[in-house]
Amino acid sequence: MNKKNASNRITLKYPAAWWKNMWREGLPSGNGKIGASVTGGIGLEKILINHEGLWHLGKKDTLPDLSHTLNETRELMNQEKYLEASWHLTNSLKETGYQTRLASFLPLMELTLRMQQTDGFKHYRREVDMETGEVTVRWEEGKEKFERKLFVSRMDDMVVYEINSTGNSLTAELQLDLKKTDSISMVQRVKELENTMKRKVEDQFIFFAAKNDDNTEYGAVLRIIPTGGKISNENGCLRCIDARSIQVMMKVFIKGDHVQEWSRLQDELLEIRGNYQNLLSAHSPLHQSLFHTASLQLQESTDEQSNEELLVDAYEGEASLSLIEKLWKYGRYLFISGTRHQGQPFGMYGLWGGDYQLMWCHRMANENIQMMYWHAAVGGLSELVPALFTYYEEMMGDFRENAKKLYGCRGIYIPAGTTPGIGVPNQLVPVIMNWTGAAGWLAQHYYDYFLYTGDKELLVGKVLPFLKEVALFYEDFLVLNEDGLYQFYPSVSPENTPENFMPKDGKPLAHPMPTTINATMDFAILKEVLLHLIEGANEASVYLDEIDKWQEMLTRIPQYEVNQDGAIKEWMHPNFDDRYNHRHVSHIYPVFPGREINTEEDRKRFEAFKAAVSKRELGAQTGWSLAHMSCIYARLHDGDKALECLDILSRSCLLPNLFTVHNDWRNMGVSMEIETAPVQLDASMGIINAVQEMLLYVSPALIKLLPALPSRWKKGNIKDFRFMTGRISVSWDMEAQTLRGEIVADRATEITLKLPPFAKTCLLKGKGVITAQSSLGEAYYDIVMDKGMTLLIEPKS
């Protein structure tokens, strides 16, 4: 292995082994539109091929007008008939016969490769080179060495695959087919697809197509180019005999006609020039420009441990420096491989889901899709964020209709769950139907994107109009109580039920009674939306005549409340008791993912939020909630607790290929216990952000360097982490008590910088840079920089 690149590779010594569902442990490659997952079997290798735009089984019904139910629900709540109120809207919708169903991700096909073994294998390895997006499988048989390599080209928009050996007699058989299902409920659906399937083998080509339930076709064309040997057509397969090497190129299509698409793709494949290495060389710079936008190093030596070794070490209790570093890099690798600027947003399974109706494969906006984008800006990947906006903007008509017909309000109501083109209510349960916070939470991503790009045209044309739609809903939805303060009801704190409404017999129910009054999170989101609207409107000089109204709305928001345990209450109403045995920590929103509460401005309330986090119980957690909790502890300046969350995650919710899953299917007591343990890559994205939060806090006015540095991270460096108007690179050595780095202003910058405690003796210097001691304390400095200036951080000699 190239030692220089070892830290940017993941290596496994064991093949994919999750029985039947091998794709769960496959190694992923992708160009943001097309995904390939390689299972790595020597004698029989299956490569799953997916496309971002291929979905099926969705059904969109017409939403009836149920706006009259809001007052009825509120009247029931006024009478403290909370359970009846909770179900009122949901049952009213069900009674109309409404039947919207979210779509499911549809696997495009599977490429199967068969190779006959002559001897038993040894020295088996499978790897992902995160710098190039290349998946490699290699082994030895007797004296002969074999290697198979694959990547999904960004330059040529195709899957490129090569088989090599040190001998001169490669024999391989390739076939394109539908992905088999491991779900009993999907057997009939696969039979329906099989009845539409068309295949043809001709010369060097395999042609494949099937018809989706929208009556459009999808498929692929594969071309094989052997060096030496000969090709034959046997039983719908291409068989290559006695070759020195075999190059395979494959292009896919969706929503087309197979006759036209087969001809087009065949012509495109015939025009491709160059061998595997030439094609990789054209692709790699495009991939690397994303992968290297930022870097992290937590150890000085190159670590060549396999994933299995890293996970066994972590199972002892602590995730090694190498594992944490690789999880940060691997999450970024998955993100850049699984989404693109003008495509679909990153999904729960990325581009590597391997069955026909995967659990929770939709876009979920009461935590999951937000988590998948928290890391992007600081890591220099803002250019991939617009896919999130485009996805939701294409359904704005649905969202306006939802607000009007469900609640009689202007503006927008975004259901928690959506899939492409289906933005109307679908998950007909109170915990989803009565939660109105999705649009406001998504608005945070809109405004942060503006803060990091400084794009005022985008602010006026996209960001503020979206925020205004959210505020319009709140204007109509909120009511005043006798004290002149807003009463928010129905109100849900995802996805929790107050303790006093849990079943007394202790029987497990997912969401017994989630519908309340004045959930803390709802007010936190409302406050954030209004503050961003006011700030953005002043910045852009638009909507100026509405600013007074929004400021007056802010005065109607009640203060956050503290319970008898000294913890922030999850529900700001006396009829609802805090429940700590839950995975969501929605009421911590003002600390994270929001930036409303910090220790500099409100120490007392900050401590109350900290107490609320400490009360959450371990056994109720999931992979994603552990990542979320890690981010929160980082915001609370507790690096060791933040890292402990990742330690627990690494020994409970990581597969050998480093995919994250919802829970520990082995029932070890450190997460929820459900058998399915679905892949949920939101936790992978959450890990990226948790690591970044430990190393850098960013707000428009304040930067904290190493705000939650774990005691185990003695040395390290980061390069090109972003704040709103520039970039930061620092290296630290806790034992030597030294900090070095630079801050580069990409735009005019006026910020307060907080140095870590061990760096009090640092020098700040830079030509033209203005620095002054801040009123916040001795570790804080007010910095003013023009565009292009650099501030150096150096230890005093």
Side-chain angles (χ1 to χ4, degrees), residues 728-788:
I728 296 178
S729 301
V730 296
S731 61
W732 70 91
D733 186 331
M734 289 285 288
E735 294 173 348
Q737 297 283 286
T738 57
L739 180 73
R740 290 182 171 83
E742 65 175 28
I743 299 176
V744 178
D746 293 326
R747 306 199 310 273
T749 296
E750 189 168 341
I751 201 86
T752 297
L753 172 68
K754 181 180 186 293
L755 297 177
F758 67 86
K760 292 179 181 178
T761 58
C762 279
L763 293 172
L764 302 178
K765 59 183 182 180
K767 186 177 180 181
V769 178
I770 300 173
T771 63
Q773 191 75 46
S774 169
S775 60
L776 292 175
E778 62 176 337
Y780 298 82
Y781 298 87
D782 295 329
I783 311 294
V784 180
M785 306 168 69
D786 291 333
K787 178 180 178 179

Side-chain angles (χ1 to χ4, degrees), residues 77 301 398 405 505 797:
M77 298 184 83
S301 61
D398 284 351
K405 290 186 174 181
D505 58 9
S797 56

Side-chain angles (χ1 to χ4, degrees), residues 505-517:
D505 58 9
K507 290 183 179 179
L509 288 175
H511 316 293
M513 211 300 291
T515 309
T516 66
I517 300 171

Side-chain angles (χ1 to χ4, degrees), residues 153-383:
S153 174
R154 293 177 182 273
M155 176 62 74
D156 298 299
D157 200 26
M158 67 178 181
V159 178
V160 185
Y161 187 40
E162 184 178 63
I163 310 161
N164 291 301
S165 79
T166 53
N168 292 314
S169 58
L170 269 178
T171 296
E173 184 179 276
L174 294 98
Q175 182 178 7
L176 299 182
D177 204 347
L178 288 172
K179 173 74 176 67
K180 303 302 180 186
T181 182
D182 296 309
S183 170
I184 294 175
S185 65
M186 285 291 104
V187 169
Q188 181 58 39
R189 173 59 178 149
V190 174
K191 287 181 179 178
E192 293 170 1
L193 291 169
E194 287 174 344
N195 290 336
T196 70
M197 190 167 59
K198 298 176 177 65
R199 285 187 293 193
K200 181 175 69 171
V201 179
E202 184 177 277
D203 299 327
Q204 299 178 319
F205 293 90
I206 305 177
F207 302 86
F208 168 85
K211 184 175 289 187
N212 201 356
D213 56 7
D214 64 356
N215 213 35
T216 65
E217 291 183 306
Y218 63 93
V221 178
L222 177 148
R223 183 187 181 193
I224 181 172
I225 307 174
T227 301
K230 61 180 181 179
I231 300 175
S232 64
N233 173 3
E234 299 182 11
N235 300 319
C237 304
L238 275 181
R239 184 173 175 82
C240 188
I241 304 170
D242 295 334
R244 292 192 297 276
S245 67
I246 302 171
Q247 180 179 333
V248 179
M249 299 181 297
M250 180 168 55
K251 291 204 166 208
V252 306
F253 72 92
I254 65 167
K255 300 184 183 299
D257 172 79
H258 80 277
V259 175
Q260 296 176 358
E261 296 295 335
W262 281 0
S263 176
R264 177 179 67 85
L265 296 182
Q266 183 178 28
D267 289 344
E268 290 180 7
L269 289 170
L270 286 169
E271 291 174 2
I272 298 292
R273 297 290 180 266
N275 59 24
Y276 179 93
Q277 190 57 48
N278 298 143
L279 297 172
L280 180 64
S281 295
H283 152 84
S284 294
L286 302 176
H287 178 91
Q288 289 169 358
S289 67
L290 292 168
F291 184 72
H292 289 304
T293 54
S295 68
L296 164 72
Q297 184 179 7
L298 295 177
Q299 55 183 354
E300 294 179 348
S301 61
T302 300
D303 195 326
E304 296 186 29
Q305 284 183 289
S306 69
N307 282 16
E308 294 92 347
E309 292 164 332
L310 291 170
L311 291 175
V312 167
D313 287 348
Y315 208 74
E316 289 294 304
E318 292 184 353
S320 67
L321 297 178
S322 180
L323 179 57
I324 293 294
E325 188 178 315
K326 288 198 175 184
L327 287 173
W328 181 83
K329 293 177 179 180
Y330 188 60
R332 285 169 52 85
Y333 169 76
L334 293 174
F335 188 69
I336 66 175
S337 302
T339 188
R340 59 195 179 105
H341 177 81
Q342 295 181 319
Q344 285 287 312
F346 192 83
M348 296 284 261
Y349 293 80
L351 290 174
W352 307 287
D355 215 329
Y356 291 83
Q357 199 169 39
L358 292 163
M359 189 174 183
W360 303 328
C361 67
H362 54 269
R363 319 294 193 202
M364 195 67 177
N366 71 352
E367 168 77 26
N368 313 92
I369 201 166
Q370 288 92 342
M371 175 178 282
M372 290 190 275
Y373 282 84
W374 287 336
H375 67 92
V378 169
L381 296 174
S382 288
E383 68 178 89

